[in-house]
Amino acid sequence: VLRKWRWIPETRFINNYFEEPLYINCLIKSIKDNWKKTGRSQKLIFSYHGVPKKYLLKGDPYHCYCQKTSRLIIEKFNKIPIQTTFQSRFGPQEWLQPYTDKTLENLPKEGKKNILVVAPHPDDETLGCGGTLLNHKAKGDKINWLIVTSMSKKEGLSLIHI
């Protein structure tokens, strides 16, 4: 396709977007904007796409990237419980833990019913916990789900109410 273009736009890659200040600030702003609309959550859950644990053990840095994204956001919210979780697992092997669905299932037992789930690293598995979220909705639990759709200053992050 590019061979047919008369002008090829400049392309830049942000290899470490997980720690990019614009990205982190966009997430923080969206969380605060959500709280203005829905009230402050009792807990923030950062839900990342899961990968088999063996990837981490073989040196894949993805788990560390997820933890760093969460840590950079956590630094701005020191009065609310925050947890990093992983979703989208299949097959018999162990995946990165804790699992998002299992975490969400246990929160009402702890008295936490107003949860904000943030999916900081979007991909086609972002809503992999949709069934679990809908089950909580049916029980009357309040869960909001933030999904990154753009790093545009105008668009920011999209909020999906479930």
Side-chain angles (χ1 to χ4, degrees), residues 77-99:
F77 302 105
N78 60 2
K79 295 183 180 179
I80 185 167
I82 296 173
Q83 186 173 2
T84 297
T85 64
F86 298 91
Q87 58 180 296
S88 307
R89 64 190 187 278
F90 59 89
Q93 59 193 333
E94 184 179 1
W95 285 57
L96 295 179
Q97 292 187 39
Y99 301 133

Side-chain angles (χ1 to χ4, degrees), residues 30-44 77 80 113-117 142-144 146 159 161:
S30 293
I31 291 167
K32 289 178 178 179
D33 288 349
N34 170 262
W35 286 347
K36 286 177 187 173
K37 294 176 187 173
T38 64
R40 194 171 177 93
S41 304
Q42 292 174 295
K43 186 162 189 162
L44 277 174
F77 302 105
I80 185 167
K113 294 196 171 212
N114 184 357
I115 312 299
L116 177 61
V117 180
K142 182 179 177 187
I143 298 177
N144 291 310
L146 278 176
L159 171 63
H161 290 280

Side-chain angles (χ1 to χ4, degrees), residues 30-138:
S30 293
I31 291 167
K32 289 178 178 179
D33 288 349
N34 170 262
W35 286 347
K36 286 177 187 173
K37 294 176 187 173
T38 64
R40 194 171 177 93
S41 304
Q42 292 174 295
K43 186 162 189 162
L44 277 174
I45 301 288
F46 293 98
S47 179
Y48 297 91
H49 185 268
V51 295
K53 185 177 179 181
K54 69 180 178 183
Y55 291 10
L56 170 66
L57 298 177
K58 290 182 178 183
D60 187 302
Y62 175 73
H63 181 266
C64 298
Y65 294 167
C66 296
Q67 296 295 337
K68 183 153 189 188
T69 297
S70 294
R71 183 182 57 77
L72 290 170
I73 297 168
I74 288 168
E75 289 173 357
K76 303 297 182 188
F77 302 105
N78 60 2
K79 295 183 180 179
I80 185 167
I82 296 173
Q83 186 173 2
T84 297
T85 64
F86 298 91
Q87 58 180 296
S88 307
R89 64 190 187 278
F90 59 89
Q93 59 193 333
E94 184 179 1
W95 285 57
L96 295 179
Q97 292 187 39
Y99 301 133
T100 301
D101 59 343
K102 301 296 182 193
T103 300
L104 289 174
E105 288 171 11
N106 290 323
L107 289 175
K109 297 172 193 167
E110 299 170 16
K112 305 258 190 299
K113 294 196 171 212
N114 184 357
I115 312 299
L116 177 61
V117 180
V118 181
H121 296 177
D123 55 27
D124 57 346
E125 297 292 334
T126 296
L127 292 176
C129 292
T132 301
L133 291 170
L134 290 175
N135 287 339
H136 282 280
K137 174 82 172 177

